[in-house]
Amino acid sequence: MTSLCGVAFTLLLLFVSCNARPLYQLPSKEHKHRKQPLQTSRPYNVAHRGSNGEFPEETAAAYLRAIEEGADFIEADITATKDGVLICFHDVNLDDVTNVADHKEFASRKRTYEVEGANITGFFPVDFTWKELQTLRTKQRFPFRDQQFNGKFPIITFEEYISIALDAPRIVGIYPEIKSPVFINKHVKWPNGKKFEDVFVETLKKYGYRGSYLSKDWLKQPCFIQSFAPTSLVYVSNQTDLPKIFLIDDVTVLTQDTKQTYSEITSDAYLDYIKKYVVGIGPWKDTLVPVVNNYIQEPSDLVPRAHAHDLQVHPYTYRNENQYLHFDFHQDPYIEYDFWINKIGVDGLFTDFTGSLHNFQEWTSPLSETNAADRHSTYLLHKIAKMLKAYN
């Protein structure tokens, strides 16, 4: 059945690459039967920009693969176009992960903007309409990863990303980030005096996302809202009770809105303040366990202090490649997962390789299910058949 699963996914990718739009009906109308619930008994497997270790990040293919491989949540960075369409895209500019440079018709769009204290030159989504962005195709960020899907997949919208989660054969959560809100609100003009954060929350409400953490409503459609900007998290707290995660950058980076230092935002006093608005923090993992000469040092006390303040800890980012595995883990991502889950005690992990984390947790859990591959293969074949019928 594993080989069938691989064949099904390959066929789906070929179809998607040849028929970029429309991939999903909005809103989702599939799988209205009772679904397998979200697992809440072990740390969450958060698919960082989808399964982007295998496919270009934040694409339909990356999200579909992450669901197939067992993700609890699919994560996305949400930004905006010139005309106010919310899209899934990590960088503030388009240069590194799209073929924008190949489009000579956009050559005059190159700009230099100040972003979080630094001048960046490139092509920015805020200078393109959604119609224009649909002509671009994505590519793999890292040259040491598989390049065969470069140029195959388009940028997708926030709504398409939501539909991918809602159409999954089991309950799959979403984990969208309010990305660079200071920059977005400066360069995108929203109607009726609205802000980026307002449109972001309105989109979630449109598709039925609501409820506090582990509530009945939340378990039906799980969602964490994340941001590096604490003022955005405080602002949206007045609009939705969905759980929020405060992302924490490297120790040298100030917050983009309040300009606070790492030591300030990880102090006990600040954790006491922010816990009124968030259910957890999402730090870079090397700030939790410092690294010197690629060897891990003694863990900081941030995880136990966060837990003492009733805050979850969801670190980022776990990657399989040797470039990212510290020497202590002997080039073995499973040893790294064991360290973070069983020694450090984190509550969720952002990973570029969803399947690896899922395999580790299944192999080390007495609650694993042997028929997961069968379910995913059936789902993918059903999806292919339905899309082919729609285009014939």
Side-chain angles (χ1 to χ4, degrees), residues 5 9 12-13 24 45-76 161 164-165 168-173 349 351-359 372 376 379-380:
C5 189
F9 196 80
L12 179 58
L13 290 181
Y24 290 97
N45 183 337
V46 182
H48 182 238
R49 310 177 203 168
S51 187
N52 81 87
E54 300 179 74
F55 298 96
E57 63 189 45
E58 317 250 27
T59 60
Y63 292 126
L64 287 167
R65 174 68 94 188
I67 292 170
E68 179 198 17
E69 292 181 332
D72 299 315
F73 289 85
I74 51 175
E75 188 261 355
Y161 155 80
I164 290 171
R170 55 187 170 81
I171 292 178
V172 173
L349 302 89
T351 176
D352 285 3
F353 294 88
T354 315
S356 295
L357 177 54
H358 182 73
N359 287 342
H376 296 319
Y379 163 61
L380 288 168

Side-chain angles (χ1 to χ4, degrees), residues 178-183 185 195-198 201 225-240 244-247 254-260 265 270 273-274 277-278:
I178 304 171
K179 190 72 178 180
S180 301
V182 175
F183 177 81
N185 279 317
K195 299 172 59 176
F196 174 32
E197 294 91 336
D198 297 319
V201 173
I225 296 173
Q226 56 172 332
S227 184
F228 284 99
T231 56
S232 288
L233 295 172
V234 173
Y235 181 81
V236 300
S237 292
N238 295 319
Q239 300 177 338
T240 177
K244 299 151 197 78
I245 300 290
F246 176 38
L247 299 174
L254 302 178
T255 56
Q256 61 186 261
D257 49 353
T258 59
K259 306 302 181 185
Q260 291 170 288
I265 61 176
Y270 195 80
Y273 159 75
I274 201 68
Y277 306 102
V278 305

Side-chain angles (χ1 to χ4, degrees), residues 212-225:
S212 58
Y213 181 60
L214 294 182
S215 67
K216 184 177 179 181
D217 285 333
W218 186 85
L219 288 170
K220 288 180 181 177
Q221 292 183 207
C223 173
F224 287 108
I225 296 173

Side-chain angles (χ1 to χ4, degrees), residues 1 6-7 29 45 66 75 79 82 118 141 147 151 159 169 187 205 228 248 260 263 280-281 378 387:
M1 185 55 70
V7 170
K29 297 179 180 179
N45 183 337
E75 188 261 355
T79 184
K82 180 180 181 179
R141 177 181 297 275
Q147 304 295 305
E159 291 187 287
H187 293 282
K205 288 182 176 179
F228 284 99
I248 298 176
Q260 291 170 288
S263 60
I281 58 175
T378 301
M387 288 195 295

